[in-house]
Amino acid sequence: MSKPKPKQAISVEGAVALSDALRFACVAGEVMSAPLPVARRASRSSAANAADGESNTAIIGTLQEKRMHAAIKRYLCDDMTCHERPVPDFLVAEGGKSRRVVADILTDGEILEVQTGGFHPLRKKIDYYLTHTPYRVTVVHPIPAVRYLSWIDPADGQVISRRKSPKRGRVRDIARELFWLSEFVGNPRFSIRLLLVELEEYRLADGWSRDGKRGSNRYERFPTALLGDVTLATSADYAAYFLPEVLDARLDDGGNPQPFTAAEYAKASGIHGMATYSMLRLLCSLGLVEQTEKIGRSQGYRVVT
């Protein structure tokens, strides 16, 4: 009988103290065992369908990140009086009406905004904070370093299957979303904090494919463990995670970094598509990379030494 293979250690970016990992697990467990939150918003037609007893994935969709959001806020600040606090003396005029801006977490001198989805909705809010307040601003974003995926039968609510996703989350996964906040990167009062987590994700098998997985709706997801913690604040932070060493190590006869193209950067970093060019622009704005003469028909870049 062959011996079982030992589990390999998971390599995750960003060190986490044992005390922080235990506290995160405790908070996540409490949030996970709490009752499901009620959707804050639902259209009139959606509410009517729900009252008629129809299966309504639109209402389910509004709950998809509530537990994730709540667990991270509790971990960052256990003082609930600091949660969902209006920013003092700060009103925003929209459509002839004024509304008070509410921060996810507001402590002495710092605003924490927890964003579990894309960064685009935060763009206007972060601009308000940095322009009209003296606070430091940190965007906190979870990255699923390890994910367990469970499928739910929409007919009876039973879990059909559960598996571990082969995809491992990493810091460079936010490259595409960084475009929306790139104008704030480099501001000494702005930073991005990435929590690399292990999470459980539940999806309804209500898609259009035969097994119901393609085009399916997410039901709920929540973190179970904190595996990594990375803060992006300085140029050195962005260089460490978004400037591949292979590009810095390529030297010419004079000992200077050799020029490279966007395609070579994409191959070395694993950042593809439009995110390649937005990241190169960001690295140029941080003074980490500079444009050079063209290489063939492509724009050349060089690591600044």
Side-chain angles (χ1 to χ4, degrees):
M1 184 176 179
S2 60
K3 295 182 179 179
K5 295 182 179 179
K7 290 186 178 180
Q8 295 181 349
I10 300 174
S11 178
V12 177
E13 299 158 307
V16 177
L18 178 60
S19 57
D20 290 336
L22 292 175
R23 184 164 61 87
F24 186 93
C26 180
V27 169
E30 292 176 0
V31 172
M32 173 181 166
S33 60
L36 277 171
V38 178
R40 292 181 180 178
R41 297 178 182 175
S43 65
R44 188 172 299 176
S45 60
S46 298
N49 290 340
D52 292 338
E54 296 182 13
S55 175
N56 196 324
T57 57
I59 293 181
I60 291 174
T62 62
L63 306 178
Q64 62 184 2
E65 292 175 340
K66 291 295 186 291
R67 292 201 192 199
M68 173 78 79
H69 196 270
I72 292 176
K73 284 203 302 183
R74 282 277 309 278
Y75 169 71
L76 296 173
C77 179
D78 203 37
D79 184 357
M80 303 295 286
T81 62
C82 296
H83 294 188
E84 303 296 331
R85 284 185 58 187
V87 179
D89 303 323
F90 184 34
L91 294 174
V92 179
E94 287 188 352
K97 298 181 180 180
S98 296
R99 68 176 180 88
R100 187 171 298 278
V101 174
V102 178
D104 281 340
I105 299 174
L106 176 59
T107 60
D108 294 336
E110 185 174 20
I111 292 174
L112 300 176
E113 285 292 337
V114 178
Q115 186 68 7
T116 56
F119 290 170
H120 178 262
L122 282 180
R123 192 174 187 175
K124 191 174 182 180
K125 201 172 187 182
I126 300 302
D127 183 50
Y128 287 154
Y129 290 154
L130 294 176
T131 304
H132 299 287
T133 78
Y135 297 107
R136 300 188 308 275
V137 181
T138 301
V139 173
V140 183
H141 177 70
I143 295 178
V146 177
R147 182 173 58 145
Y148 291 92
L149 184 60
S150 296
W151 291 95
I152 300 174
D153 187 339
D156 57 15
Q158 298 297 316
V159 174
I160 303 171
S161 64
R162 180 180 182 269
R163 67 177 179 85
K164 183 178 181 181
S165 172
K167 185 177 180 180
R168 300 276 177 83
R170 56 176 186 164
V171 172
R172 288 179 186 173
D173 291 345
I174 69 163
R176 184 179 299 275
E177 294 300 324
L178 273 177
F179 167 79
W180 302 110
L181 302 181
S182 59
E183 61 186 293
F184 314 120
V185 173
N187 188 314
R189 290 169 45 219
F190 176 75
S191 61
I192 299 175
R193 185 176 176 186
L194 304 172
L195 302 180
L196 291 98
V197 300
E198 176 183 289
L199 63 81
E200 294 278 350
E201 179 174 332
Y202 290 87
R203 299 191 72 92
L204 293 168
D206 59 353
W208 48 264
S209 62
R210 180 176 298 179
D211 58 3
K213 294 183 178 181
R214 294 189 179 183
S216 62
N217 287 280
R218 181 191 295 160
Y219 175 67
E220 177 66 296
R221 66 174 184 169
F222 47 84
T224 55
L226 178 64
L227 306 178
D229 193 337
V230 173
T231 297
L232 302 175
T234 67
S235 297
D237 297 330
Y238 286 89
Y241 292 99
F242 297 98
L243 194 56
E245 294 181 1
V246 64
L247 299 178
D248 199 8
R250 292 170 46 185
L251 305 178
D252 57 22
D253 295 337
N256 299 313
Q258 289 185 350
F260 58 89
T261 64
E264 290 175 315
Y265 175 80
K267 182 178 180 180
S269 65
I271 300 172
H272 301 283
M274 295 303 297
T276 300
Y277 299 94
S278 63
M279 276 307 309
L280 285 171
R281 286 194 295 269
L282 178 60
L283 294 174
C284 285
S285 68
L286 291 172
L288 299 170
V289 170
E290 63 182 1
Q291 291 188 356
T292 66
E293 65 283 349
K294 285 193 173 183
I295 303 174
R297 295 183 178 181
S298 302
Q299 175 64 54
Y301 300 88
R302 180 187 293 116
V303 176
V304 177
T305 58

